[in-house]
PDB file of all heavy atoms in Angstrom:
ATOM      1  N   ARG E   1      63.458 -67.528  50.855  1.00 97.00           N
ATOM      2  CA  ARG E   1      62.212 -67.385  50.136  1.00 97.00           C
ATOM      3  C   ARG E   1      61.511 -68.738  50.061  1.00 97.00           C
ATOM      4  O   ARG E   1      62.153 -69.765  49.829  1.00 97.00           O
ATOM      5  CB  ARG E   1      62.487 -66.843  48.726  1.00 97.00           C
ATOM      6  CG  ARG E   1      61.236 -66.573  47.907  1.00 97.00           C
ATOM      7  CD  ARG E   1      61.577 -65.809  46.639  1.00 97.00           C
ATOM      8  NE  ARG E   1      62.582 -66.498  45.864  1.00 97.00           N
ATOM      9  CZ  ARG E   1      63.674 -65.931  45.381  1.00 97.00           C
ATOM     10  NH1 ARG E   1      63.898 -64.636  45.586  1.00 97.00           N
ATOM     11  NH2 ARG E   1      64.545 -66.636  44.675  1.00 97.00           N
ATOM     12  N   GLU E   2      60.216 -68.747  50.278  1.00 97.00           N
ATOM     13  CA  GLU E   2      59.460 -69.982  50.257  1.00 97.00           C
ATOM     14  C   GLU E   2      58.234 -69.849  49.359  1.00 97.00           C
ATOM     15  O   GLU E   2      57.626 -68.786  49.260  1.00 97.00           O
ATOM     16  CB  GLU E   2      59.020 -70.386  51.663  1.00 97.00           C
ATOM     17  CG  GLU E   2      58.091 -69.392  52.337  1.00 97.00           C
ATOM     18  CD  GLU E   2      57.550 -69.880  53.670  1.00 97.00           C
ATOM     19  OE1 GLU E   2      57.533 -71.107  53.909  1.00 97.00           O
ATOM     20  OE2 GLU E   2      57.135 -69.026  54.483  1.00 97.00           O
ATOM     21  N   LEU E   3      57.872 -70.936  48.737  1.00 98.00           N
ATOM     22  CA  LEU E   3      56.675 -70.992  47.907  1.00 98.00           C
ATOM     23  C   LEU E   3      55.467 -71.254  48.785  1.00 98.00           C
ATOM     24  O   LEU E   3      55.471 -72.186  49.592  1.00 98.00           O
ATOM     25  CB  LEU E   3      56.818 -72.102  46.866  1.00 98.00           C
ATOM     26  CG  LEU E   3      55.630 -72.348  45.940  1.00 98.00           C
ATOM     27  CD1 LEU E   3      55.409 -71.165  45.013  1.00 98.00           C
ATOM     28  CD2 LEU E   3      55.851 -73.624  45.141  1.00 98.00           C
ATOM     29  N   VAL E   4      54.421 -70.448  48.636  1.00 98.00           N
ATOM     30  CA  VAL E   4      53.234 -70.616  49.462  1.00 98.00           C
ATOM     31  C   VAL E   4      52.030 -71.120  48.683  1.00 98.00           C
ATOM     32  O   VAL E   4      51.132 -71.735  49.267  1.00 98.00           O
ATOM     33  CB  VAL E   4      52.873 -69.324  50.223  1.00 98.00           C
ATOM     34  CG1 VAL E   4      54.001 -68.934  51.167  1.00 98.00           C
ATOM     35  CG2 VAL E   4      52.559 -68.183  49.265  1.00 98.00           C
ATOM     36  N   ALA E   5      51.976 -70.860  47.382  1.00 98.00           N
ATOM     37  CA  ALA E   5      50.829 -71.290  46.588  1.00 98.00           C
ATOM     38  C   ALA E   5      51.211 -71.346  45.122  1.00 98.00           C
ATOM     39  O   ALA E   5      52.052 -70.573  44.666  1.00 98.00           O
ATOM     40  CB  ALA E   5      49.638 -70.350  46.774  1.00 98.00           C
ATOM     41  N   GLN E   6      50.581 -72.243  44.373  1.00 98.00           N
ATOM     42  CA  GLN E   6      50.824 -72.329  42.946  1.00 98.00           C
ATOM     43  C   GLN E   6      49.552 -72.748  42.239  1.00 98.00           C
ATOM     44  O   GLN E   6      48.667 -73.373  42.822  1.00 98.00           O
ATOM     45  CB  GLN E   6      51.977 -73.295  42.637  1.00 98.00           C
ATOM     46  CG  GLN E   6      51.831 -74.676  43.238  1.00 98.00           C
ATOM     47  CD  GLN E   6      53.102 -75.497  43.133  1.00 98.00           C
ATOM     48  OE1 GLN E   6      53.595 -75.752  42.022  1.00 98.00           O
ATOM     49  NE2 GLN E   6      53.643 -75.903  44.275  1.00 98.00           N
ATOM     50  N   ILE E   7      49.488 -72.400  40.955  1.00 97.00           N
ATOM     51  CA  ILE E   7      48.306 -72.671  40.151  1.00 97.00           C
ATOM     52  C   ILE E   7      48.741 -73.085  38.757  1.00 97.00           C
ATOM     53  O   ILE E   7      49.674 -72.518  38.189  1.00 97.00           O
ATOM     54  CB  ILE E   7      47.361 -71.442  40.127  1.00 97.00           C
ATOM     55  CG1 ILE E   7      46.036 -71.769  39.445  1.00 97.00           C
ATOM     56  CG2 ILE E   7      48.054 -70.241  39.489  1.00 97.00           C
ATOM     57  CD1 ILE E   7      44.967 -70.694  39.683  1.00 97.00           C
ATOM     58  N   SER E   8      48.079 -74.096  38.212  1.00 96.00           N
ATOM     59  CA  SER E   8      48.442 -74.607  36.898  1.00 96.00           C
ATOM     60  C   SER E   8      48.114 -73.590  35.813  1.00 96.00           C
ATOM     61  O   SER E   8      47.406 -72.605  36.034  1.00 96.00           O
ATOM     62  CB  SER E   8      47.719 -75.926  36.632  1.00 96.00           C
ATOM     63  OG  SER E   8      46.305 -75.750  36.652  1.00 96.00           O
ATOM     64  N   TRP E   9      48.612 -73.852  34.614  1.00 92.00           N
ATOM     65  CA  TRP E   9      48.481 -72.889  33.520  1.00 92.00           C
ATOM     66  C   TRP E   9      47.031 -72.575  33.188  1.00 92.00           C
ATOM     67  O   TRP E   9      46.720 -71.453  32.761  1.00 92.00           O
ATOM     68  CB  TRP E   9      49.204 -73.405  32.276  1.00 92.00           C
ATOM     69  CG  TRP E   9      48.541 -74.615  31.665  1.00 92.00           C
ATOM     70  CD1 TRP E   9      48.773 -75.919  31.954  1.00 92.00           C
ATOM     71  CD2 TRP E   9      47.535 -74.609  30.648  1.00 92.00           C
ATOM     72  NE1 TRP E   9      47.970 -76.734  31.199  1.00 92.00           N
ATOM     73  CE2 TRP E   9      47.198 -75.951  30.378  1.00 92.00           C
ATOM     74  CE3 TRP E   9      46.886 -73.604  29.938  1.00 92.00           C
ATOM     75  CZ2 TRP E   9      46.237 -76.314  29.438  1.00 92.00           C
ATOM     76  CZ3 TRP E   9      45.929 -73.959  28.990  1.00 92.00           C
ATOM     77  CH2 TRP E   9      45.618 -75.301  28.755  1.00 92.00           C
ATOM     78  N   ASN E  10      46.155 -73.545  33.365  1.00 92.00           N
ATOM     79  CA  ASN E  10      44.747 -73.347  33.028  1.00 92.00           C
ATOM     80  C   ASN E  10      43.883 -73.024  34.248  1.00 92.00           C
ATOM     81  O   ASN E  10      42.664 -72.889  34.120  1.00 92.00           O
ATOM     82  CB  ASN E  10      44.194 -74.573  32.303  1.00 92.00           C
ATOM     83  CG  ASN E  10      44.333 -75.850  33.120  1.00 92.00           C
ATOM     84  OD1 ASN E  10      44.732 -75.829  34.280  1.00 92.00           O
ATOM     85  ND2 ASN E  10      43.993 -76.975  32.506  1.00 92.00           N
ATOM     86  N   GLY E  11      44.496 -72.914  35.421  1.00 94.00           N
ATOM     87  CA  GLY E  11      43.770 -72.562  36.623  1.00 94.00           C
ATOM     88  C   GLY E  11      42.989 -73.688  37.258  1.00 94.00           C
ATOM     89  O   GLY E  11      42.313 -73.470  38.268  1.00 94.00           O
ATOM     90  N   VAL E  12      43.088 -74.889  36.716  1.00 95.00           N
ATOM     91  CA  VAL E  12      42.300 -76.000  37.217  1.00 95.00           C
ATOM     92  C   VAL E  12      42.866 -76.562  38.517  1.00 95.00           C
ATOM     93  O   VAL E  12      42.113 -76.975  39.404  1.00 95.00           O
ATOM     94  CB  VAL E  12      42.196 -77.105  36.146  1.00 95.00           C
ATOM     95  CG1 VAL E  12      41.570 -78.374  36.716  1.00 95.00           C
ATOM     96  CG2 VAL E  12      41.398 -76.603  34.953  1.00 95.00           C
ATOM     97  N   ASN E  13      44.177 -76.582  38.639  1.00 97.00           N
ATOM     98  CA  ASN E  13      44.834 -77.216  39.774  1.00 97.00           C
ATOM     99  C   ASN E  13      45.584 -76.201  40.620  1.00 97.00           C
ATOM    100  O   ASN E  13      46.205 -75.271  40.094  1.00 97.00           O
ATOM    101  CB  ASN E  13      45.810 -78.287  39.281  1.00 97.00           C
ATOM    102  CG  ASN E  13      45.133 -79.332  38.423  1.00 97.00           C
ATOM    103  OD1 ASN E  13      44.245 -80.039  38.882  1.00 97.00           O
ATOM    104  ND2 ASN E  13      45.545 -79.429  37.167  1.00 97.00           N
ATOM    105  N   THR E  14      45.530 -76.394  41.926  1.00 98.00           N
ATOM    106  CA  THR E  14      46.246 -75.530  42.856  1.00 98.00           C
ATOM    107  C   THR E  14      46.931 -76.360  43.925  1.00 98.00           C
ATOM    108  O   THR E  14      46.495 -77.469  44.246  1.00 98.00           O
ATOM    109  CB  THR E  14      45.309 -74.518  43.531  1.00 98.00           C
ATOM    110  OG1 THR E  14      44.268 -75.219  44.226  1.00 98.00           O
ATOM    111  CG2 THR E  14      44.685 -73.577  42.505  1.00 98.00           C
ATOM    112  N   LEU E  15      48.002 -75.815  44.483  1.00 98.00           N
ATOM    113  CA  LEU E  15      48.722 -76.423  45.587  1.00 98.00           C
ATOM    114  C   LEU E  15      49.112 -75.339  46.573  1.00 98.00           C
ATOM    115  O   LEU E  15      49.394 -74.207  46.182  1.00 98.00           O
ATOM    116  CB  LEU E  15      49.985 -77.145  45.095  1.00 98.00           C
ATOM    117  CG  LEU E  15      49.788 -78.413  44.261  1.00 98.00           C
ATOM    118  CD1 LEU E  15      51.108 -78.835  43.629  1.00 98.00           C
ATOM    119  CD2 LEU E  15      49.231 -79.535  45.121  1.00 98.00           C
ATOM    120  N   TYR E  16      49.145 -75.701  47.859  1.00 98.00           N
ATOM    121  CA  TYR E  16      49.453 -74.751  48.915  1.00 98.00           C
ATOM    122  C   TYR E  16      50.437 -75.333  49.907  1.00 98.00           C
ATOM    123  O   TYR E  16      50.428 -76.540  50.183  1.00 98.00           O
ATOM    124  CB  TYR E  16      48.189 -74.350  49.675  1.00 98.00           C
ATOM    125  CG  TYR E  16      47.145 -73.703  48.806  1.00 98.00           C
ATOM    126  CD1 TYR E  16      46.159 -74.455  48.185  1.00 98.00           C
ATOM    127  CD2 TYR E  16      47.159 -72.324  48.595  1.00 98.00           C
ATOM    128  CE1 TYR E  16      45.207 -73.861  47.380  1.00 98.00           C
ATOM    129  CE2 TYR E  16      46.207 -71.726  47.788  1.00 98.00           C
ATOM    130  CZ  TYR E  16      45.235 -72.495  47.182  1.00 98.00           C
ATOM    131  OH  TYR E  16      44.290 -71.893  46.378  1.00 98.00           O
ATOM    132  N   ALA E  17      51.270 -74.464  50.459  1.00 98.00           N
ATOM    133  CA  ALA E  17      52.091 -74.863  51.582  1.00 98.00           C
ATOM    134  C   ALA E  17      51.191 -75.162  52.776  1.00 98.00           C
ATOM    135  O   ALA E  17      50.132 -74.549  52.945  1.00 98.00           O
ATOM    136  CB  ALA E  17      53.084 -73.761  51.937  1.00 98.00           C
ATOM    137  N   SER E  18      51.608 -76.102  53.602  1.00 98.00           N
ATOM    138  CA  SER E  18      50.781 -76.484  54.739  1.00 98.00           C
ATOM    139  C   SER E  18      50.511 -75.310  55.677  1.00 98.00           C
ATOM    140  O   SER E  18      49.456 -75.258  56.322  1.00 98.00           O
ATOM    141  CB  SER E  18      51.445 -77.630  55.506  1.00 98.00           C
ATOM    142  OG  SER E  18      52.719 -77.255  55.995  1.00 98.00           O
ATOM    143  N   SER E  19      51.430 -74.365  55.743  1.00 98.00           N
ATOM    144  CA  SER E  19      51.286 -73.237  56.648  1.00 98.00           C
ATOM    145  C   SER E  19      50.152 -72.290  56.258  1.00 98.00           C
ATOM    146  O   SER E  19      49.683 -71.514  57.102  1.00 98.00           O
ATOM    147  CB  SER E  19      52.598 -72.454  56.732  1.00 98.00           C
ATOM    148  OG  SER E  19      52.990 -71.996  55.451  1.00 98.00           O
ATOM    149  N   VAL E  20      49.717 -72.331  55.000  1.00 98.00           N
ATOM    150  CA  VAL E  20      48.677 -71.414  54.536  1.00 98.00           C
ATOM    151  C   VAL E  20      47.430 -72.128  54.041  1.00 98.00           C
ATOM    152  O   VAL E  20      46.427 -71.467  53.741  1.00 98.00           O
ATOM    153  CB  VAL E  20      49.197 -70.467  53.433  1.00 98.00           C
ATOM    154  CG1 VAL E  20      50.466 -69.765  53.881  1.00 98.00           C
ATOM    155  CG2 VAL E  20      49.426 -71.223  52.122  1.00 98.00           C
ATOM    156  N   LYS E  21      47.464 -73.439  53.956  1.00 98.00           N
ATOM    157  CA  LYS E  21      46.328 -74.191  53.434  1.00 98.00           C
ATOM    158  C   LYS E  21      45.080 -73.913  54.266  1.00 98.00           C
ATOM    159  O   LYS E  21      45.111 -73.945  55.495  1.00 98.00           O
ATOM    160  CB  LYS E  21      46.648 -75.680  53.424  1.00 98.00           C
ATOM    161  CG  LYS E  21      45.598 -76.541  52.724  1.00 98.00           C
ATOM    162  CD  LYS E  21      46.065 -77.984  52.600  1.00 98.00           C
ATOM    163  CE  LYS E  21      47.278 -78.090  51.702  1.00 98.00           C
ATOM    164  NZ  LYS E  21      47.687 -79.509  51.491  1.00 98.00           N
ATOM    165  N   GLY E  22      43.987 -73.639  53.564  1.00 98.00           N
ATOM    166  CA  GLY E  22      42.736 -73.327  54.218  1.00 98.00           C
ATOM    167  C   GLY E  22      42.546 -71.859  54.506  1.00 98.00           C
ATOM    168  O   GLY E  22      41.429 -71.434  54.844  1.00 98.00           O
ATOM    169  N   ARG E  23      43.604 -71.074  54.387  1.00 98.00           N
ATOM    170  CA  ARG E  23      43.534 -69.639  54.629  1.00 98.00           C
ATOM    171  C   ARG E  23      43.765 -68.811  53.370  1.00 98.00           C
ATOM    172  O   ARG E  23      43.180 -67.743  53.221  1.00 98.00           O
ATOM    173  CB  ARG E  23      44.546 -69.221  55.693  1.00 98.00           C
ATOM    174  CG  ARG E  23      44.339 -69.896  57.046  1.00 98.00           C
ATOM    175  CD  ARG E  23      45.254 -69.305  58.110  1.00 98.00           C
ATOM    176  NE  ARG E  23      46.667 -69.515  57.794  1.00 98.00           N
ATOM    177  CZ  ARG E  23      47.545 -68.537  57.605  1.00 98.00           C
ATOM    178  NH1 ARG E  23      47.165 -67.262  57.701  1.00 98.00           N
ATOM    179  NH2 ARG E  23      48.814 -68.815  57.331  1.00 98.00           N
ATOM    180  N   PHE E  24      44.627 -69.291  52.481  1.00 98.00           N
ATOM    181  CA  PHE E  24      44.973 -68.570  51.256  1.00 98.00           C
ATOM    182  C   PHE E  24      44.344 -69.248  50.051  1.00 98.00           C
ATOM    183  O   PHE E  24      44.219 -70.479  50.013  1.00 98.00           O
ATOM    184  CB  PHE E  24      46.488 -68.536  51.046  1.00 98.00           C
ATOM    185  CG  PHE E  24      47.256 -67.687  52.021  1.00 98.00           C
ATOM    186  CD1 PHE E  24      46.675 -67.155  53.163  1.00 98.00           C
ATOM    187  CD2 PHE E  24      48.597 -67.419  51.778  1.00 98.00           C
ATOM    188  CE1 PHE E  24      47.400 -66.379  54.050  1.00 98.00           C
ATOM    189  CE2 PHE E  24      49.337 -66.640  52.659  1.00 98.00           C
ATOM    190  CZ  PHE E  24      48.744 -66.123  53.785  1.00 98.00           C
ATOM    191  N   THR E  25      43.987 -68.451  49.049  1.00 98.00           N
ATOM    192  CA  THR E  25      43.457 -68.973  47.795  1.00 98.00           C
ATOM    193  C   THR E  25      44.140 -68.281  46.630  1.00 98.00           C
ATOM    194  O   THR E  25      44.102 -67.048  46.531  1.00 98.00           O
ATOM    195  CB  THR E  25      41.942 -68.765  47.687  1.00 98.00           C
ATOM    196  OG1 THR E  25      41.290 -69.381  48.803  1.00 98.00           O
ATOM    197  CG2 THR E  25      41.414 -69.377  46.391  1.00 98.00           C
ATOM    198  N   ILE E  26      44.764 -69.057  45.760  1.00 98.00           N
ATOM    199  CA  ILE E  26      45.380 -68.513  44.558  1.00 98.00           C
ATOM    200  C   ILE E  26      44.401 -68.658  43.396  1.00 98.00           C
ATOM    201  O   ILE E  26      43.688 -69.658  43.295  1.00 98.00           O
ATOM    202  CB  ILE E  26      46.726 -69.205  44.252  1.00 98.00           C
ATOM    203  CG1 ILE E  26      47.457 -68.500  43.108  1.00 98.00           C
ATOM    204  CG2 ILE E  26      46.543 -70.689  43.966  1.00 98.00           C
ATOM    205  CD1 ILE E  26      48.885 -69.004  42.898  1.00 98.00           C
ATOM    206  N   SER E  27      44.359 -67.658  42.537  1.00 98.00           N
ATOM    207  CA  SER E  27      43.511 -67.700  41.362  1.00 98.00           C
ATOM    208  C   SER E  27      44.176 -66.920  40.243  1.00 98.00           C
ATOM    209  O   SER E  27      45.166 -66.223  40.466  1.00 98.00           O
ATOM    210  CB  SER E  27      42.112 -67.142  41.665  1.00 98.00           C
ATOM    211  OG  SER E  27      42.187 -65.781  42.053  1.00 98.00           O
ATOM    212  N   ARG E  28      43.636 -67.046  39.041  1.00 95.00           N
ATOM    213  CA  ARG E  28      44.212 -66.317  37.922  1.00 95.00           C
ATOM    214  C   ARG E  28      43.132 -65.922  36.941  1.00 95.00           C
ATOM    215  O   ARG E  28      42.092 -66.579  36.825  1.00 95.00           O
ATOM    216  CB  ARG E  28      45.298 -67.152  37.222  1.00 95.00           C
ATOM    217  CG  ARG E  28      44.787 -68.391  36.504  1.00 95.00           C
ATOM    218  CD  ARG E  28      45.951 -69.292  36.084  1.00 95.00           C
ATOM    219  NE  ARG E  28      46.838 -68.641  35.131  1.00 95.00           N
ATOM    220  CZ  ARG E  28      48.083 -69.025  34.874  1.00 95.00           C
ATOM    221  NH1 ARG E  28      48.602 -70.071  35.514  1.00 95.00           N
ATOM    222  NH2 ARG E  28      48.814 -68.369  33.979  1.00 95.00           N
ATOM    223  N   ASP E  29      43.401 -64.842  36.230  1.00 92.00           N
ATOM    224  CA  ASP E  29      42.546 -64.366  35.164  1.00 92.00           C
ATOM    225  C   ASP E  29      43.437 -64.215  33.946  1.00 92.00           C
ATOM    226  O   ASP E  29      44.153 -63.225  33.811  1.00 92.00           O
ATOM    227  CB  ASP E  29      41.887 -63.043  35.538  1.00 92.00           C
ATOM    228  CG  ASP E  29      40.880 -62.575  34.505  1.00 92.00           C
ATOM    229  OD1 ASP E  29      40.989 -62.954  33.328  1.00 92.00           O
ATOM    230  OD2 ASP E  29      39.972 -61.812  34.883  1.00 92.00           O
ATOM    231  N   ASN E  30      43.413 -65.204  33.081  1.00 86.00           N
ATOM    232  CA  ASN E  30      44.322 -65.198  31.944  1.00 86.00           C
ATOM    233  C   ASN E  30      44.020 -64.067  30.961  1.00 86.00           C
ATOM    234  O   ASN E  30      44.922 -63.578  30.287  1.00 86.00           O
ATOM    235  CB  ASN E  30      44.291 -66.551  31.230  1.00 86.00           C
ATOM    236  CG  ASN E  30      45.016 -67.624  32.008  1.00 86.00           C
ATOM    237  OD1 ASN E  30      45.661 -67.349  33.020  1.00 86.00           O
ATOM    238  ND2 ASN E  30      44.916 -68.863  31.546  1.00 86.00           N
ATOM    239  N   ALA E  31      42.762 -63.661  30.875  1.00 87.00           N
ATOM    240  CA  ALA E  31      42.409 -62.548  30.000  1.00 87.00           C
ATOM    241  C   ALA E  31      43.057 -61.249  30.472  1.00 87.00           C
ATOM    242  O   ALA E  31      43.407 -60.390  29.659  1.00 87.00           O
ATOM    243  CB  ALA E  31      40.895 -62.388  29.925  1.00 87.00           C
ATOM    244  N   LYS E  32      43.213 -61.100  31.787  1.00 90.00           N
ATOM    245  CA  LYS E  32      43.861 -59.927  32.365  1.00 90.00           C
ATOM    246  C   LYS E  32      45.340 -60.152  32.635  1.00 90.00           C
ATOM    247  O   LYS E  32      46.015 -59.243  33.113  1.00 90.00           O
ATOM    248  CB  LYS E  32      43.169 -59.518  33.661  1.00 90.00           C
ATOM    249  CG  LYS E  32      41.737 -59.062  33.487  1.00 90.00           C
ATOM    250  CD  LYS E  32      41.139 -58.642  34.822  1.00 90.00           C
ATOM    251  CE  LYS E  32      39.721 -58.147  34.659  1.00 90.00           C
ATOM    252  NZ  LYS E  32      39.122 -57.747  35.963  1.00 90.00           N
ATOM    253  N   THR E  33      45.824 -61.336  32.331  1.00 90.00           N
ATOM    254  CA  THR E  33      47.212 -61.743  32.603  1.00 90.00           C
ATOM    255  C   THR E  33      47.616 -61.395  34.037  1.00 90.00           C
ATOM    256  O   THR E  33      48.693 -60.854  34.289  1.00 90.00           O
ATOM    257  CB  THR E  33      48.206 -61.137  31.588  1.00 90.00           C
ATOM    258  OG1 THR E  33      48.267 -59.711  31.718  1.00 90.00           O
ATOM    259  CG2 THR E  33      47.816 -61.509  30.173  1.00 90.00           C
ATOM    260  N   THR E  34      46.743 -61.737  34.973  1.00 94.00           N
ATOM    261  CA  THR E  34      46.937 -61.398  36.376  1.00 94.00           C
ATOM    262  C   THR E  34      46.676 -62.621  37.247  1.00 94.00           C
ATOM    263  O   THR E  34      45.747 -63.391  36.985  1.00 94.00           O
ATOM    264  CB  THR E  34      46.005 -60.253  36.803  1.00 94.00           C
ATOM    265  OG1 THR E  34      46.273 -59.099  36.001  1.00 94.00           O
ATOM    266  CG2 THR E  34      46.214 -59.893  38.266  1.00 94.00           C
TER     267      THR E  34
END
């Protein structure tokens, strides 16, 4: 199992694995807990 993307608790910061950078986007909606 490998980590491909992560997002900070407030959604301000994101990090991506090099294999998906530029293609994948992580986001969150804390009101929807999703």
